[in-house]
């Protein structure tokens, strides 16, 4: 179990990542705000508590691998990669500019990015390819794939779900950003996901539901997944789209727009308040 001090450090990192994400998006004047903010704790837990990955070992065969299948959430991935030292933080401010390595969806070539993504539904299949290759080569590493809940409307996800169980890929850990919203509104209105946990279980996955903004729960979920043998695991992470900024939280209209200057200032003030609150806890 992580110590209280370690959890506080992770919480502080999450606030810093949210500041970076909002600032990047505001400078770019476009991009996906809601679905970036919902995945911050998941990414911070992966890169600062769970995965064996760093700028130093990023080309080594036995590194852990991460696939951001919901590629539109990349501002958070970029901020985490910069925080981890994969590239300079200044590069964040080039988001979505012509010639920048930080495009609106991740591109292979940026240090730390394993695959280009953004066309929804494909990431899990790619992750399985990596996991099968690792098993064939007796490489001891894990592959993580973060998907959106709306993204799992794509049929390819369920072909991959079947395949992972068939090949007993216990080196795969999927994570669902279960924020219940997608581009046009609530998932239950656009395409109801129904009994979601049962769907994954019936496809042969070990399922753990966690609060996707609670570091202790997320880390425990990853531990359980690592100990699960003979089947792939999935964390259904209950999250809030736009998490951390009151006027962005849980609003479909914030799927694909960026904060303007005034909204950015207001949001940064809220994050300052939250930082003070967690430090006094
Ligand atoms: C194949 C494909 N179809 C459509 C889109 C456009 N699109 C981008 S984000 C999105 C909604 C995805 O919803 P979800 O996975 O729940 O993402 P989140 O709400 O977490 O941002 C859609 C339809 C796409 N990127 N790829």
């Amino acid at each position: 179990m992580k110590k209280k001090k370690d959890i506080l450090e992770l919480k502080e990192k999450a606030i810093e990542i949210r500041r970076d994400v909002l600032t990047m998006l505001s400078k770019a004047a476009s991009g996906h705000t809601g679905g970036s903010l919902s995945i911050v704790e998941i990414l911070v837990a992966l890169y600062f508590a769970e995965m064996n990955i760093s700028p130093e070992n990023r080309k080594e065969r036995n590194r852990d691998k991460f696939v951001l299948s919901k590629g539109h959430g990349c501002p958070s991935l970029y901020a985490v990669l910069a925080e981890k030292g994969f590239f300079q933080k200044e590069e964040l401010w080039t988001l979505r500019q012509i010639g920048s390595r930080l495009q609106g969806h991740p591109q292979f070539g940026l240090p730390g990015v394993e695959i280009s993504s953004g066309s929804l539904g494909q990431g899990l299949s790619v992750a399985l390819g990596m996991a099968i290759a690792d098993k064939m080569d007796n490489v001891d590493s894990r592959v993580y794939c973060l998907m959106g809940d709306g993204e799992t409307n794509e049929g390819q996800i369920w072909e991959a779900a079947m395949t992972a169980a068939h090949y007993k890929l216990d080196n795969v850990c999927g994570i669902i950003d279960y924020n219940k919203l997608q581009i046009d509104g609530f998932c239950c209105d656009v395409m109801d996901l129904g009994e979601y946990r049962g769907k994954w279980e019936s496809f042969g996955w070990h399922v753990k539901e966690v609060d996707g903004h609670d570091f202790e729960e997320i880390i425990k979920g990853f531990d359980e997944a690592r100990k699960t043998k003979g089947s792939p695991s999935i964390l259904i992470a209950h999250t809030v789209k736009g998490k951390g900024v009151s006027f962005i939280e849980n609003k479909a209209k914030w799927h694909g727009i960026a904060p303007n200057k005034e909204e950015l200032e207001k949001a940064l003030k809220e994050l300052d308040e939250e930082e003070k609150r967690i430090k006094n806890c």
Side-chain angles (χ1 to χ4, degrees), residues 221-264:
F222 286 139
D223 280 345
E224 192 173 307
R226 212 176 318 105
K227 288 177 191 148
T228 301
K229 300 295 169 204
S231 64
S233 291
I234 191 135
L235 258 57
I236 299 180
H238 291 263
T239 56
V240 174
K241 197 156 172 171
K243 176 72 178 175
V245 184
S246 62
F247 59 92
I248 299 179
E249 282 186 3
N250 230 354
K251 294 201 173 67
K253 77 162 191 171
W254 277 96
H255 172 83
I257 57 168
N260 63 28
K261 213 164 161 260
E262 293 73 44
E263 288 163 336
L264 175 66

Side-chain angles (χ1 to χ4, degrees), residues 32 34-36 38-39 70 72 105 118-121 147-152 154 177 179-184 187 241 255:
H32 297 86
S36 297
S38 57
I39 60 175
K70 50 164 284 185
H72 60 281
H105 295 80
S119 186
L120 296 171
M147 294 159 271
D149 48 5
E151 180 184 6
T152 64
E154 295 282 352
D177 175 18
N179 60 31
K180 289 95 185 168
L181 274 165
Q182 51 173 285
I183 194 167
D184 287 325
C187 292
K241 197 156 172 171
H255 172 83

Side-chain angles (χ1 to χ4, degrees), residues 2-278:
K2 288 266 160 199
K3 291 192 206 93
K4 217 173 161 191
K5 183 180 139 278
D6 299 330
I7 297 289
L8 177 64
E9 271 175 26
L10 295 174
K11 284 183 181 174
E12 286 172 341
K13 263 198 206 311
I15 289 186
E16 194 53 26
I17 298 300
R18 285 199 167 88
R19 283 193 184 109
D20 289 344
V21 165
L22 289 157
T23 308
M24 289 158 78
L25 286 163
S26 188
K27 273 184 197 291
S30 70
H32 297 86
T33 303
S36 297
L37 293 176
S38 57
I39 60 175
V40 172
E41 281 80 10
I42 297 167
L43 290 177
V44 169
L46 278 170
Y47 279 86
F48 293 95
E50 172 64 13
M51 289 198 301
N52 170 29
I53 180 74
S54 66
E56 291 71 40
N57 78 350
R58 73 183 178 91
K59 291 191 174 160
E60 284 173 22
R61 192 72 177 75
N62 68 347
R63 72 191 183 282
D64 287 340
K65 296 148 197 96
F66 174 70
V67 172
L68 181 65
S69 192
K70 50 164 284 185
H72 60 281
C74 60
S76 289
L77 178 64
Y78 296 153
V80 165
L81 290 176
E83 183 72 19
K84 189 86 185 171
F86 282 88
F87 50 84
Q88 297 289 312
K89 196 164 169 173
E90 285 62 47
E91 199 167 346
L92 292 179
W93 319 132
T94 68
L95 176 73
R96 286 178 166 247
Q97 286 175 19
I98 291 173
S100 169
R101 297 195 294 179
L102 276 58
Q103 286 305 307
H105 295 80
Q107 285 185 0
F108 182 71
L110 179 68
V113 170
E114 299 274 2
I115 68 154
S116 300
S117 59
S119 186
L120 296 171
Q122 300 178 353
L124 189 57
S125 304
V126 178
L128 300 195
M130 293 172 175
I132 290 170
D134 282 350
K135 286 235 178 216
M136 288 173 84
D137 294 345
N138 279 322
V139 171
D140 183 20
S141 83
R142 294 186 61 70
V143 184
Y144 298 83
C145 177
L146 177 54
M147 294 159 271
D149 48 5
E151 180 184 6
T152 64
N153 288 165
E154 295 282 352
Q156 188 177 345
I157 296 282
W158 301 101
E159 294 178 40
M162 240 182 320
T163 305
H166 179 81
Y167 289 105
K168 300 185 172 32
L169 296 179
D170 51 14
N171 52 345
V172 167
C173 180
I175 308 138
I176 302 289
D177 175 18
Y178 196 28
N179 60 31
K180 289 95 185 168
L181 274 165
Q182 51 173 285
I183 194 167
D184 287 325
F186 286 97
C187 292
C188 58
D189 296 327
V190 178
M191 180 63 74
D192 196 352
L193 297 165
E195 215 290 86
Y196 201 50
R197 177 187 183 116
K199 280 197 171 65
W200 285 98
E201 280 173 341
S202 73
F203 273 79
W205 287 60
H206 175 80
V207 181
K208 178 88 179 163
E209 288 186 63
V210 297
D211 175 339
H213 301 301
D214 181 319
F215 281 111
E216 298 198 35
E217 280 198 25
I218 300 169
I219 292 166
K220 261 197 232 160
F222 286 139
D223 280 345
E224 192 173 307
R226 212 176 318 105
K227 288 177 191 148
T228 301
K229 300 295 169 204
S231 64
S233 291
I234 191 135
L235 258 57
I236 299 180
H238 291 263
T239 56
V240 174
K241 197 156 172 171
K243 176 72 178 175
V245 184
S246 62
F247 59 92
I248 299 179
E249 282 186 3
N250 230 354
K251 294 201 173 67
K253 77 162 191 171
W254 277 96
H255 172 83
I257 57 168
N260 63 28
K261 213 164 161 260
E262 293 73 44
E263 288 163 336
L264 175 66
E265 273 174 28
K266 224 170 124 190
L268 293 178
K269 263 194 201 137
E270 285 193 19
L271 292 175
D272 289 347
E273 287 305 312
E274 176 63 5
E275 190 173 40
K276 274 189 219 147
R277 195 189 64 75
I278 61 164

